[in-house]
Amino acid sequence: AKEKGKNSYQFFTTEINAAAAEHLALENRLRKAIAQGEFQLYYQPIMDMESGAIVSVEALIRWVNPELGLINPDKFIPLAEETGLIIPIGEWVLQTACAQAKIWNQENTYPLRIAINLSARQFQQIDFLERILEILKKTDLLPNRLELELTESMIMDNMEASLETLNALKKMGCQISLDDFGTGYSSLAYLKRFPIDTVKIDHSFVRDISTDPDDAAITTAVTTMAHSLRRKVVAEGVETREQLEFLDNIGVNGVQGYFISYPAPAENFTRLLQERHYI
Ligand code: C2E
Ligand code: CA
Ligand code: CA
Ligand code: CA
């Protein structure tokens, strides 16, 4: 029995070492990816329920590595956060997405906002506001075309500093969205204190909305409460007509998901946005 215990212990440490080695290899690849320009932005439109127009487009990062192929953000954003690499990556995202938004806004008669996901470390940088201002200036994008997506935990981590940063962003004219709503602290009470324009209901609630009465109730309650606090509501992960109809009935302001459009490179939207603007 002793022998067996020792073996499984060795097996266990080998596994840990393998995981650590893999982790380190990925970190090195991620470091190189920045230098070698292996990131791409995909874009996904957000449709206004009342008009049917695309009012905003969310930028979603992809990593295309020659050996590993296409890697989704859930696979590398946590590592980028941990290592601090999220700072240069996030900077590239802001710069690239704002430049694209400028192009779209020049080509279209209708204004279009670009929604950008922030990471905790990025939002907490001391010169975060200056970075935003500099990028807006460099890309010549109006601040009211920029929508920043944050999660509850990012705000709750340091409420005082967050409040100050968010107030400054609002004063500049930027829009603020609360991402993944329902998955974190899930308290709407603090909405009152923070200048949040839009609450994005997480797709885990939207998924079973037409079959699970609990998810339907949560989504309805969140929408009602957000509206009574004069906040807009966008539902994520809308994949079916049934979901869209339910969300329309409860009065959400915007929808985003595969039913409207898959995320895709900018070229795929340029024509759509120019010619139809309406999906
Ligand atoms: P998120 O901000 O909640 O983005 C929505 C995710 O849902 C995206 O996954 C999108 O592709 C996916 N999605 C869109 N429509 C549907 C649908 O109808 N059904 C389902 N099942 N999924 C849908 P993606 O692109 O893999 O991004 C995952 C997460 O990575 C994002 O979640 C966001 O938190 C983070 N992320 C993406 N881009 C960036 C970035 O530039 N910076 C930072 N810091 N985080 C990013
Ligand atoms: Ca988001
Ligand atoms: Ca989300
Ligand atoms: Ca997310």
Side-chain angles (χ1 to χ4, degrees):
K2 241 182 188 163
E3 216 29 53
K4 196 174 170 239
K6 197 181 167 211
N7 281 344
S8 59
Y9 172 74
Q10 274 173 348
F11 177 69
F12 190 57
T13 46
T14 313
E15 283 232 308
I16 288 179
N17 288 337
E22 200 183 308
H23 194 266
L24 195 65
L26 196 64
E27 182 182 334
N28 287 332
R29 281 202 160 115
L30 196 56
R31 231 171 256 287
K32 275 197 207 139
I34 300 169
Q36 292 171 357
E38 293 174 7
F39 297 109
Q40 273 182 32
L41 287 184
Y42 273 38
Y43 297 89
Q44 189 180 34
I46 295 160
M47 186 182 84
D48 177 63
M49 282 303 249
E50 210 177 311
S51 63
I54 304 166
V55 283
S56 177
V57 178
E58 179 174 358
L60 296 159
I61 195 169
R62 301 288 179 265
W63 175 16
V64 189
N65 179 270
E67 282 149 53
L68 303 173
L70 181 85
I71 309 154
N72 280 330
D74 288 334
K75 291 264 156 48
F76 67 90
I77 292 288
L79 180 65
E81 272 269 334
E82 205 182 295
T83 53
L85 291 170
I86 195 68
I87 299 297
I89 295 172
E91 184 89 5
W92 176 85
V93 171
L94 276 166
Q95 164 72 40
T96 309
C98 287
Q100 183 59 55
K102 174 71 186 179
I103 295 171
W104 279 331
N105 275 296
Q106 278 173 326
E107 288 171 346
N108 293 301
T109 22
Y110 297 91
L112 191 71
R113 280 197 307 270
I114 185 81
I116 299 178
N117 293 287
L118 295 178
S119 80
R121 251 172 119 144
Q122 201 179 3
F123 181 62
Q124 283 152 12
Q125 270 178 292
I126 8 173
D127 63 342
F128 175 70
L129 282 173
E130 287 148 57
R131 303 303 311 129
I132 295 284
L133 276 170
E134 197 183 310
I135 286 166
L136 287 172
K137 198 173 159 203
K138 217 159 88 181
T139 56
D140 193 27
L141 186 73
L142 289 169
N144 64 9
R145 300 286 183 267
L146 178 61
E147 187 174 324
L148 297 168
E149 298 199 356
L150 299 101
T151 59
E152 293 166 83
S153 61
M154 286 165 63
I155 293 174
M156 302 305 262
D157 266 0
N158 188 344
M159 293 218 267
E160 290 317 311
S162 299
L163 186 60
E164 216 173 288
T165 308
L166 293 178
N167 281 335
L169 287 167
K170 278 310 296 173
K171 219 168 152 193
M172 282 162 57
C174 299
Q175 295 269 313
I176 312 292
S177 293
L178 199 54
D179 211 350
D180 303 343
F181 193 83
T183 60
Y185 292 82
S186 305
S187 150
L188 280 164
Y190 64 89
L191 269 186
K192 193 176 76 166
R193 279 190 62 200
F194 291 90
I196 289 153
D197 302 286
T198 304
V199 172
K200 293 187 84 171
I201 299 180
D202 192 66
H203 58 74
S204 57
F205 298 102
V206 174
R207 191 175 49 225
D208 301 323
I209 213 171
S210 19
T211 51
D212 184 334
D214 290 343
D215 286 340
I218 291 168
T219 306
T220 307
V222 167
T223 303
T224 306
M225 211 186 305
H227 281 163
S228 61
L229 294 166
R230 297 167 306 279
R231 268 61 172 181
K232 283 177 289 176
V233 176
V234 165
E236 301 182 322
V238 180
E239 296 182 0
T240 68
R241 178 169 300 281
E242 288 71 43
Q243 291 166 340
L244 186 75
E245 277 167 5
F246 181 95
L247 294 162
D248 193 20
N249 282 333
I250 64 170
V252 306
N253 307 86
V255 285
Q256 179 179 9
Y258 301 158
F259 187 70
I260 321 300
S261 168
Y262 287 98
E267 310 85 80
N268 297 36
F269 293 110
T270 304
R271 257 268 256 2
L272 177 79
L273 293 172
Q274 264 174 344
E275 289 178 356
R276 294 204 288 152
H277 189 69
Y278 296 92
I279 296 179

